[in-house]
Amino acid sequence: MIQSPLSRIDARMTHTVQHSDAPPRLSALFRSDNLFPTLMLGGGIALHAIETYITATLMPSIVRDIGGLALFAWATTLYVAASVIGSIFVAVRPASVTLNRCYVAGAALFGLGSLICAIAPVIGVVLLGRTVQGLGAGLLVALGYSFIRFVYPEPLWRKATTLYAAIWGVSTLLGPSIGGIFANGGAWREAFLMLVPISLLMAYMAPRRLPPGEDRESAPPAPFTQIALVLGSVLLVSFAGSVDEVALRAGLAGLAAVAIAGMLAVERRSQVLLLPARTASLSSPLGRIYAIMVLLMVTLTSDVYIPYFLQELHGLDPLASGYLVAVVALGWTTAAFLTSGLSGRNAIRSIIGGTIIEAASTGAMVFLLARHNPESSILQLAPLTVAIFGMGFGVGMGWAHLVTLVLRLAPDDEKDKASAAITTMQSIGSAFGAALSGVLANSFGLLDPGGVAGSISAATWLFGLLALPALLAFLLAASLRKEIC
């Protein structure tokens, strides 16, 4: 009887759990031989994660200070679109550019982008800074996954991704605290400025504390056509969210869909690939895993508007709204720890359950967030907090298992590309999620009629429609289980 690829993986994963002398502990990442790589890789993830929550908390204050509400979602869209480029560069970089040199570039770019945001006089300069930040973040996050196989033995791969989730959890405390304190004091520029010396210190330490991580003699050619189509699609969707004419908005969104279809068509026929071979089709298990990643991130990134609606509809100040949206990452971290010991079919079941929770929690925002609560009633905020927590919990139940499956499924000669593609898929999903959030919010009342009524309408449509990608992810995840069985 011929086994499917996932069946063979399931058998290997089950064998590892049953016959290893002792399952690896998370603390093994901090042994003397792993300590410095863990601190550096975790530091790169932390820099990105903390800044994400700082910016989420600061953006309402920024647009009130220098204007640009119509471009609110662009701060996230451009950031994650640029991170796509950064993550792809890790896979197609010249052979002479080692992974630790990429880390230096990522940290330096992140610091430069933070400086640009700090001195920005208008929203356009903030968006430029966010773009540069995103390029650096794409490098740093992709390197976290790319370095895993160079610095840890295979049994620690899942533990490393669990550590990344824990870092996001710590960021739920630091990011909103920092952003809220600066926002309440009207000093949002200083919040960006403080990231600059941290970034420069990490750039200085990288070549001294990280191995080169080089394992190839030549660089693969860059898939410029696919990259251009992906970025073009993201930008088209973003433009669609910024225009007033309904017909033009629909046309731009349609062109974005055509661009994605074109990218997949080129990927299936080209000799120069953006993704590992045969993953541009849902007939491939690895292709379905990447698709699940994208769909979950599209749904999750609808949280970009949660701080704004909390402040406008529920009467919360920037600090409180920042902490509530940070509950998303707390949910992700909690789920990652609770499910980190699962393997084989149980890991697939965790992925499936996570997609259901993600869809249900996002859909619940229609009833819990899209309502007027100017007194900040705890009776309304308590179930809303549970739903926000569930949005992160659903993704956290499956993400580490999806990453592990990618690293195991990818052919040996394409593991570098496959690991970089994890961040690419995450960034593409986040970019489309942010862009679609802008389209939906602006189309359904955020700007016209605006105010309380407009915010309620925008939140209703935004979260109702963006629960659908998570439902599609559920169908794809269920197909993986059927294949194993």
Side-chain angles (χ1 to χ4, degrees):
M1 179 177 178
I2 298 176
Q3 288 183 305
S4 69
L6 282 178
S7 297
R8 293 193 293 271
I9 289 171
D10 180 64
R12 290 197 300 270
M13 293 170 74
T14 303
H15 177 82
T16 299
V17 172
Q18 291 176 344
H19 296 283
S20 60
D21 293 333
R25 297 177 180 271
L26 191 65
S27 60
L29 299 173
F30 297 93
R31 291 195 310 251
S32 59
D33 54 336
N34 294 329
L35 178 60
F36 285 117
T38 295
L39 292 177
M40 292 302 299
L41 299 181
I45 302 293
L47 194 65
H48 165 60
I50 292 173
E51 190 279 338
T52 295
Y53 288 101
I54 290 176
T55 303
T57 307
L58 290 177
M59 276 307 298
S61 299
I62 292 173
V63 297
R64 291 190 191 105
D65 186 16
I66 60 177
L69 179 59
L71 300 175
F72 189 97
W74 277 80
T76 300
T77 299
L78 291 175
Y79 179 88
V80 294
S83 72
V84 172
I85 299 176
S87 63
I88 291 172
F89 179 80
V90 173
V92 301
R93 69 191 187 281
S96 60
V97 179
T98 58
L99 290 179
N100 57 7
R101 289 182 180 177
C102 284
Y103 191 104
V104 172
L109 286 170
F110 196 94
L112 176 60
S114 300
L115 179 61
I116 293 172
C117 289
I119 64 175
V122 294
I123 193 66
V125 180
V126 172
L127 297 181
L128 172 62
R130 289 288 286 162
T131 302
V132 177
Q133 271 190 327
L135 187 60
L139 287 166
L140 292 175
V141 178
L143 288 168
Y145 294 116
S146 295
F147 264 117
I148 283 178
R149 61 195 178 91
F150 290 104
V151 299
Y152 304 123
E154 185 172 331
L156 284 177
W157 289 356
R158 188 184 292 109
K159 296 300 180 183
T161 59
T162 300
L163 174 66
Y164 295 165
I167 290 170
W168 278 95
V170 173
S171 301
T172 66
L173 298 176
L174 296 179
S177 298
I178 296 168
I181 290 170
F182 283 103
N184 283 340
W188 58 267
R189 298 180 187 277
E190 286 78 359
F192 286 109
L193 194 60
M194 72 173 188
L195 297 172
V196 177
I198 298 173
S199 302
L200 294 179
L201 176 61
M202 296 177 69
Y204 173 79
M205 295 297 294
R208 294 162 175 80
R209 295 300 185 185
L210 288 175
E214 187 57 65
D215 66 342
R216 57 185 180 177
E217 297 180 356
S218 61
F224 290 113
T225 301
Q226 294 96 309
I227 295 172
L229 287 169
V230 169
L231 295 179
S233 180
V234 170
L235 294 177
L236 284 168
V237 174
S238 300
F239 278 120
S242 305
V243 300
D244 295 327
E245 297 80 3
V246 176
L248 179 57
R249 185 178 297 163
L252 290 171
L255 286 175
V258 170
I260 285 294
M263 185 279 289
L264 293 174
V266 171
E267 183 76 0
R268 284 192 290 267
R269 293 172 173 80
S270 178
Q271 298 298 315
V272 181
L273 300 178
L274 175 64
L275 305 173
R278 297 178 297 280
T279 58
S281 170
L282 294 180
S283 62
S284 161
L286 188 54
R288 271 174 277 160
I289 290 167
Y290 281 139
I292 292 168
M293 288 180 163
V294 171
L295 292 167
L296 287 175
M297 293 311 300
V298 168
T299 294
L300 185 66
T301 311
S302 61
D303 71 352
V304 67
Y305 276 99
I306 289 179
Y308 182 83
F309 290 133
L310 286 172
Q311 294 177 41
E312 294 298 314
L313 296 177
H314 293 264
L316 299 183
D317 61 28
L319 181 59
S321 66
Y323 269 117
L324 272 187
V325 75
V327 171
V328 171
L330 182 61
W332 185 321
T333 303
T334 302
F337 274 109
L338 291 177
T339 64
S340 64
L342 300 178
S343 61
R345 297 184 182 183
N346 287 332
I348 300 299
R349 293 187 184 104
S350 185
I351 296 170
I352 295 170
T355 60
I356 297 173
I357 292 175
E358 179 69 14
S361 299
T362 304
M365 305 293 280
V366 172
F367 308 100
L368 300 174
L369 181 62
R371 59 193 304 177
H372 197 206
N373 177 30
E375 297 84 11
S376 304
S377 169
I378 190 64
L379 293 179
Q380 296 186 39
L381 289 175
L384 173 57
T385 302
V386 173
I388 295 173
F389 180 87
M391 289 178 68
F393 194 90
V395 178
M397 284 183 66
W399 195 265
H401 304 303
L402 291 168
V403 169
T404 301
L405 284 174
V406 168
L407 295 176
R408 290 179 182 274
L409 268 173
D412 290 340
D413 60 347
E414 292 193 300
K415 287 190 182 295
D416 202 24
K417 182 181 291 186
S419 58
I422 294 169
T423 305
T424 301
M425 295 300 103
Q426 185 174 357
S427 298
I428 289 173
S430 296
F432 268 91
L436 288 172
S437 294
V439 170
L440 294 173
N442 292 343
S443 297
F444 291 105
L446 186 67
L447 300 179
D448 184 16
V452 171
S455 293
I456 291 175
S457 174
T460 299
W461 285 97
L462 170 62
F463 293 101
L465 291 176
L466 285 188
L468 298 179
L471 289 177
L472 182 54
F474 162 72
L475 296 177
L476 293 176
S479 73
L480 295 178
R481 184 174 182 273
K482 293 176 181 177
E483 184 168 338
I484 291 175
C485 295

